[in-house]
Amino acid sequence: MKIFLDGAFVEAADAKVSVFDHGLLYGDGVFEGIRLYQKNVFRLDAHLERLEYSAKAIALKLPWTRAEIAEWTCEACRQNGLTDGYIRLVVTRGAGNLGLSPKRCPKPTIFIIADKISLYPPELYATGLELITVPTRRMNAAALPPAVKSLNYLNNIMAKIEAENLGYQEAILLNDQGFVAECTGDNIFALFKGELLTPKPSSGALRGITRDAVIDLAAEFKLPVRELDLTRYDLWIADELFLTGTAAEVIPVVKLDGREIGTGKPGPLTARFIEAFHRRVIVEGTRI
Ligand code: PXG
């Protein structure tokens, strides 16, 4: 496997970063998870825009243009002969010293891993997920805005551990006011009385690229979408629930906190979104 690292392609075994890199020492950096479908990178520009916003939020100046990063991303797919894949694009503060200040980190580190995608078992899409709300809250935007896709994922990992300890694959996180934020690596949507409801980004949800794609599809379906504060109750009484994310795509939820959602089976509208999303991703995107 060839990895893009700081301007060149190297073998995976040689793709190494310094132990003084602040990405490792402090989680000081940003990243994107991107999908390649049939040699098309899905919404590459939107991912790179979000990367720029994340970098700006942590005051990390990217010394490369969006076009350069886009080209390296496509080249990483080509170098690895990929048709379908998962791309992890990471920018760290770079190597510094044993102090928090980024002032001693003169040069950010960039690396791009383009690998085969490991998909969720297909039966999950047919049977649907069961979720649990976990005690760990989504961190407050005044501490570190959840809109920043930073390398500091401990908040999400703590929630994942709690869900897995209870026998669930994914967790719902509430924000510090008790409203629904998102899952550990996915956004959430509820269908209720002919409306699609989803937490506002200010409730602690990442502005997911898949979330945006679903909102676009909803417009095509003439289905109203509302971003609002949602409680667990709003999710329990929903007609349908589903999650969206780069890895999971669109996946039905059939149970939350021991309550069956709707009929207890994946809903018809969720199925429609899954189908439309699959049709969309193979035609939309940046050709590598
Ligand atoms: N919320 C969080 C906290 C995320 O990390 C999403 C929502 C969905 O956003 P996108 O843009 O992907 O629709 C994410 C994305 C992984 C993995 O390795 C996680 C994500 C993306 C890709 C891979 O588990 N999280």
Side-chain angles (χ1 to χ4, degrees):
M1 195 199 308
K2 295 274 199 208
I3 312 289
F4 179 83
L5 174 62
D6 288 334
F9 282 92
V10 295
E11 279 302 328
D14 301 319
K16 293 174 181 165
V17 297
S18 165
V19 293
F20 290 99
D21 194 303
H22 280 207
L24 177 61
L25 288 176
Y26 299 113
D28 185 355
V30 293
F31 79 103
E32 284 295 318
I34 309 170
R35 282 282 280 260
L36 176 72
Y37 292 98
Q38 299 291 304
K39 299 199 177 180
N40 294 317
V41 182
F42 186 63
R43 299 204 169 185
L44 178 57
D45 202 57
H47 278 288
L48 296 182
E49 180 182 69
R50 189 172 66 184
L51 183 81
E52 289 167 9
Y53 292 160
S54 294
K56 182 161 197 178
I58 66 162
L60 194 168
K61 209 163 179 324
L62 299 176
W64 317 283
T65 64
R66 193 184 296 185
E68 280 175 311
I69 302 176
E71 174 49 29
W72 296 331
T73 304
C74 294
E75 184 60 23
C77 296
R78 291 193 292 266
Q79 289 267 338
N80 291 290
L82 294 175
T83 303
D84 294 280
Y86 174 70
I87 304 156
R88 176 63 60 94
L89 167 48
V90 180
V91 177
T92 79
R93 189 76 66 178
N97 65 353
L98 294 180
L100 284 173
S101 172
K103 280 195 181 134
R104 301 286 289 276
C105 306
K107 199 169 71 64
T109 302
I110 181 168
F111 58 87
I112 304 170
I113 307 167
D115 201 356
K116 293 202 173 56
I117 180 93
S118 64
L119 299 169
Y120 285 103
E123 57 270 20
L124 266 187
Y125 294 82
T127 56
L129 280 173
E130 296 186 10
L131 302 185
I132 186 105
T133 307
V134 294
T136 290
R137 297 290 176 105
R138 196 78 180 99
M139 62 203 172
N140 186 306
L144 173 58
V148 179
K149 207 160 160 62
S150 87
L151 291 182
N152 214 309
Y153 253 53
L154 272 176
N155 181 222
N156 313 54
I157 290 165
M158 303 255 291
K160 189 80 167 182
I161 290 168
E162 287 166 351
E164 287 182 345
N165 282 346
L166 294 165
Y168 295 83
Q169 287 170 293
E170 187 49 287
I172 296 274
L173 287 96
L174 307 179
N175 65 22
D176 59 359
Q177 295 177 299
F179 294 113
V180 175
E182 58 180 343
C183 298
T184 66
D186 297 296
N187 292 113
I188 183 144
F189 284 89
L191 181 77
F192 184 65
K193 293 191 188 293
E195 251 192 325
L196 201 54
L197 311 176
T198 195
K200 295 180 290 192
S202 59
S203 304
L206 185 76
R207 276 187 192 277
I209 306 292
T210 321
R211 177 183 184 274
D212 281 347
V214 160
I215 290 172
D216 291 347
L217 287 174
E220 291 171 27
F221 296 170
K222 307 240 179 315
L223 182 71
V225 181
R226 204 144 50 97
E227 296 180 299
L228 72 174
D229 283 334
L230 290 169
T231 62
R232 290 204 298 161
Y233 167 83
D234 298 318
L235 301 187
W236 296 335
I237 65 164
D239 300 317
E240 297 184 30
L241 275 188
F242 61 85
L243 308 185
T244 65
T246 294
E249 303 175 306
V250 180
I251 192 160
V253 176
V254 292
K255 214 173 199 188
L256 169 61
D257 301 331
R259 281 83 162 172
E260 265 187 5
I261 304 302
T263 61
K265 299 260 183 308
L269 204 94
T270 304
R272 208 172 149 207
F273 274 108
I274 292 173
E275 205 231 338
F277 184 76
H278 281 135
R279 261 189 283 121
R280 183 59 53 90
V281 292
I282 52 172
V283 293
E284 200 187 285
T286 303
R287 195 81 188 150
I288 61 167

